[in-house]
Amino acid sequence: MRLLQRLVLLAAIVGGTLLSSGAPASAHAGGLTATDSRGRVVAVSPAVPGLDVVAIENGARLRLRNGTGGPVTVGAGGGAATPAVVAPGAELTWIDERATPDGRDVAAGETVPWTVPLDVNGTPVMITGELAGEQPPVPAAWWAATALTGLALVLLARRVRRADLLLAAAGSVAAAASVWHVAGSTLAVESAPLAGTFLSAAGINLLAWPLIIGGAVTALRGRAAGVLAVCGGAALTAVFVLPDVTSFHRAVLPFAGPPVVERVLVLLALALGAGVAVAGAGVLRGLAREAVPEEQA
């Protein structure tokens, strides 16, 4: 019990520190963001044997592999990463402002062309590509579903006999949704190592997840400290998934799976996490009232 109380206190301190510093406003895993268009390379003209250029991460980055016999220079104008020289046999992955969909306003069904100039051992070469706009979801529907899910949990917790077990189950589902969300976001990243990307994307969840699971196990044993731990972990889970509600507004998501799955995961982590935190106060008061007569007896 003392260990769980210390974990809750630690979670509150860390969460408060990160909230005050604005840390939750970070992007998805690998610095990727949700957009309304998807980028791709259409052609490399003229074609050069051994030169391969592709768009990765939904077009957020370009990857150039130089299998030619000479250096390849990426022309200036694409941001801080350009100009850049890629030696024979080397590879370059970079964000090019001329090609990335990040920050670009592309309507659904619209196609916006882009070009990036290269110099291949003295020969001018042009990469041509396009940004294809996709239909975004209806944000109001996802926000309404999130609010209703959280509200339903709060109301249900007032009616069921073992609300502590309900919160333990809901908190566990929120944690599972958060794990799946972070894993899917990590797998969408092709430009960084998976392990480091996962740890970075998980952030404070590395504390929140075991706090919820440990609290749920303790709650199953009828201990109020378990509910407290679940509530603390669930609150952190809800807070740190907030930056990802952009998935309710954008069409193309940095997630290795169908966009609707990502939106459902964000909905569950946010709605259940917040619902558990709100309902937890009343449940803990009820457990405290029940404990007083037992101690007096």
Side-chain angles (χ1 to χ4, degrees):
M1 182 172 179
R2 290 180 179 176
L3 176 59
L4 282 174
Q5 290 174 332
R6 290 174 181 174
L7 284 174
V8 172
L9 179 59
L10 177 60
I13 293 173
V14 175
T17 300
L18 290 176
L19 279 173
S20 64
S21 66
S26 60
H28 286 70
L32 302 180
T33 58
T35 66
D36 283 330
S37 60
R38 196 181 306 272
R40 70 185 186 97
V41 172
V42 175
V44 178
S45 304
V48 179
L51 178 64
D52 180 54
V53 184
V54 296
I56 62 173
E57 300 167 350
N58 293 326
R61 292 179 171 91
L62 298 178
R63 173 170 289 165
L64 184 154
R65 292 188 173 95
N66 183 7
T68 71
V72 175
T73 301
V74 180
T82 61
V85 178
V86 187
E91 177 182 295
L92 174 67
T93 299
W94 79 104
I95 298 175
D96 197 299
E97 294 177 356
R98 294 164 290 201
T100 181
D102 189 21
R104 303 284 289 275
D105 186 13
V106 183
E110 181 184 3
T111 299
V112 177
W114 54 262
T115 59
V116 174
L118 302 178
D119 182 291
V120 182
N121 200 23
T123 301
V125 174
M126 187 68 69
I127 308 171
T128 58
E130 64 180 17
L131 300 176
E134 298 189 9
Q135 185 65 45
V138 180
W142 287 98
W143 278 111
T146 301
L148 290 174
T149 301
L151 180 61
L153 176 61
V154 173
L155 295 177
L156 186 60
R158 297 178 179 177
R159 295 179 176 273
V160 298
R161 179 175 173 274
R162 292 296 306 275
D164 56 334
L165 298 185
L166 172 65
L167 295 190
S172 298
V173 172
S178 177
V179 171
W180 191 353
H181 159 68
V182 172
S185 298
T186 299
L187 291 174
V189 178
E190 302 176 52
S191 57
L194 287 181
T197 300
F198 179 85
L199 292 175
S200 176
I204 192 62
N205 284 309
L206 295 175
L207 174 61
W209 296 333
L211 192 61
I212 292 173
I213 301 306
V217 172
T218 304
L220 288 174
R221 298 175 181 173
R223 298 177 182 176
V227 179
L228 179 61
V230 169
C231 292
L236 289 177
T237 297
V239 168
F240 281 82
V241 81
L242 273 175
D244 299 323
V245 296
T246 51
S247 62
F248 295 168
H249 299 258
R250 301 296 186 181
V252 181
L253 309 181
F255 181 79
V260 67
V261 172
E262 164 72 335
R263 295 184 184 108
V264 170
L265 294 175
V266 172
L267 184 157
L268 290 175
L270 178 58
L272 297 182
V276 167
V278 172
V283 173
L284 286 169
R285 284 195 297 268
L287 291 174
R289 286 193 297 267
E290 294 174 3
V292 171
E294 292 179 2
E295 292 177 357
Q296 293 176 348

